[in-house]
Amino acid sequence: MSEKTQTMDKPIIGITTGDLNGVGMELIIKTFSDNRMLDFCTPVVFASNKVVNYYRRIITEHNMVFTSTKDLTKLNPKQVNIFNCWDEEVPVQPGVLTDTGGKYAIRSLMVAAQCLKDGQLHGLVTAPLHKSNTQLPDFPYTGHTPFLKEKFGAKDVLMLLYNDQLKVALATEHIPVAKVAGAITKELILSKLQILRETLVRDFGIDKPKIAVLGLNPHAGDDGHIGTEEGTILKPVIEQQQQQGHLVYGPYSADGFFARHGYQAFHAVLAMYHDQGLIPFKTLAGGTGVNYTAGLSVVRTSPDHGTAFDIAGKNLADPTSFREAVFQAVALLRQRAEYAAATANPLRRGKMEKEREES
């Protein structure tokens, strides 16, 4: 076993707080109050002791044992490590959208991302932000994904939500529906398909991924009667991919594709816009989904939901998706390490491919 693979047996995972007034800290406390989580990773929460203790007083039945640090070279592997990003008193108002909640969420994210870039962390799990209070002079981004894309110098990235049954990627993300059609180009679809294919191979161990592409219009354009994007953009790209030997099919009418469980015949699905992909995904996933930013040089996951202000501070948040995001960050890191070791050794790579074919 290589040194890198050994390190991935218990990686250091950075955890951001998300909006201080959302459910992020509650999810963190509920997840890591189970000491068995420390068998999988060494968590580092980027926050402050004061914010952590505020929420510990609300969630009294969950006892998360933690230690404070300002030095990532001196972590306690048997406890949750709180990396204090600020020392000042910060007003916490669960369920209320405030500028303060967004400001310190961004501080948590920016400090954690820098530590990840510096190699002090192995991976990152982010709690939810709210777009209304995070547009700051030093954070001109609509959310985590565009920030991380620029931070780590990625040419393009892909929003991928998945669980054990289904993987759904988005060609476009958080843009108005009125702008979706104009954003769909051959270049965009080619880029997203390339990232999706590469991440399925490298991060999920699928050697020959089979990908479904959904149409943009109802009934996938109905032969041009309800839109032309399928015929002028999607079909030519799909045909080009097939000529190059890739298993890419479609475009499929989204409603029938999901209603008839068409996704079960594919390793992943590329949806054209946010709700087209995420409404069926979240319906089928039932709170077990994870959001993964594919295309980055690093691993970042998050739960598949938002700040949930309506239940924040009420001890009602379900940590299932957040806990799964932590598990998946660890799993992705291990798979990447295994893939890197295998590709560096052609004989081992051939053995892995043979084992997958036989299974």
Side-chain angles (χ1 to χ4, degrees), residues 42-228:
T42 299
V44 182
V45 180
F46 289 80
S48 76
N49 292 346
K50 296 172 183 176
V51 171
V52 174
N53 284 325
Y54 177 92
Y55 279 100
R56 285 181 77 207
R57 288 192 290 271
I58 295 176
I59 313 166
T60 54
E61 73 276 23
H62 294 276
N63 182 29
M64 184 184 78
V65 179
F66 69 91
T67 186
S68 301
T69 184
K70 287 191 176 182
D71 185 351
L72 293 181
T73 66
K74 299 178 180 178
L75 298 177
N76 186 339
K78 296 182 179 181
Q79 290 186 357
V80 176
N81 297 266
I82 307 299
F83 187 89
N84 281 274
C85 302
W86 63 86
D87 296 313
E88 62 269 26
E89 289 283 350
V90 177
V92 180
Q93 299 173 266
V96 181
L97 181 66
T98 68
D99 290 341
T100 299
K103 173 184 175 181
Y104 285 92
I106 296 306
R107 184 179 296 185
S108 171
L109 172 62
M110 295 181 77
V111 174
Q114 188 60 49
C115 291
L116 181 61
K117 189 172 184 179
D118 291 342
Q120 296 175 295
L121 306 171
H122 294 115
L124 183 65
V125 177
T126 58
L129 298 173
H130 197 287
K131 291 174 177 57
S132 297
N133 63 355
T134 52
Q135 300 299 297
L136 305 172
D138 59 345
F139 193 82
Y141 308 98
T142 56
H144 290 104
T145 303
F147 165 70
L148 293 169
K149 174 185 174 183
E150 182 174 309
K151 182 73 175 177
F152 292 93
K155 182 179 178 181
D156 194 10
V157 293
L158 179 74
M159 185 175 176
L160 175 65
L161 283 95
Y162 69 96
N163 70 352
D164 291 340
Q165 300 177 351
L166 175 63
K167 294 180 178 66
V168 174
L170 303 181
T172 61
E173 299 166 10
H174 299 120
I175 64 173
V177 173
K179 295 182 179 180
V180 170
I184 301 296
T185 64
K186 291 181 180 178
E187 293 75 18
L188 177 81
I189 301 302
L190 281 170
S191 177
K192 300 302 183 183
L193 283 173
Q194 179 179 349
I195 296 173
L196 180 55
R197 184 169 55 252
E198 289 176 351
T199 200
L200 289 172
V201 172
R202 180 182 64 171
D203 299 332
F204 294 94
I206 302 169
D207 289 309
K208 296 179 181 179
K210 187 178 180 183
I211 300 171
V213 177
L214 301 182
L216 172 66
N217 299 291
H219 304 292
D222 203 6
D223 294 325
H225 295 292
I226 319 177
T228 60

Side-chain angles (χ1 to χ4, degrees), residues 270-344:
L270 180 65
M272 294 299 103
Y273 57 94
H274 186 277
D275 284 12
Q276 183 190 56
L278 297 199
I279 288 176
F281 174 80
K282 291 186 177 182
T283 301
L284 293 166
T288 64
V290 172
N291 178 16
Y292 175 49
T293 306
L296 293 175
S297 59
V298 296
V299 168
R300 173 261 172 163
T301 63
S302 71
D304 69 350
H305 57 74
T307 52
F309 282 139
D310 57 324
I311 61 171
K314 299 178 182 178
N315 197 10
L316 297 174
D318 182 350
T320 301
S321 180
F322 186 88
R323 183 171 55 246
E324 190 61 28
V326 176
F327 284 141
Q328 288 302 315
V330 174
L332 289 163
L333 284 164
R334 289 175 179 169
Q335 176 58 37
R336 280 196 177 191
E338 182 180 340
Y339 180 79
T343 53

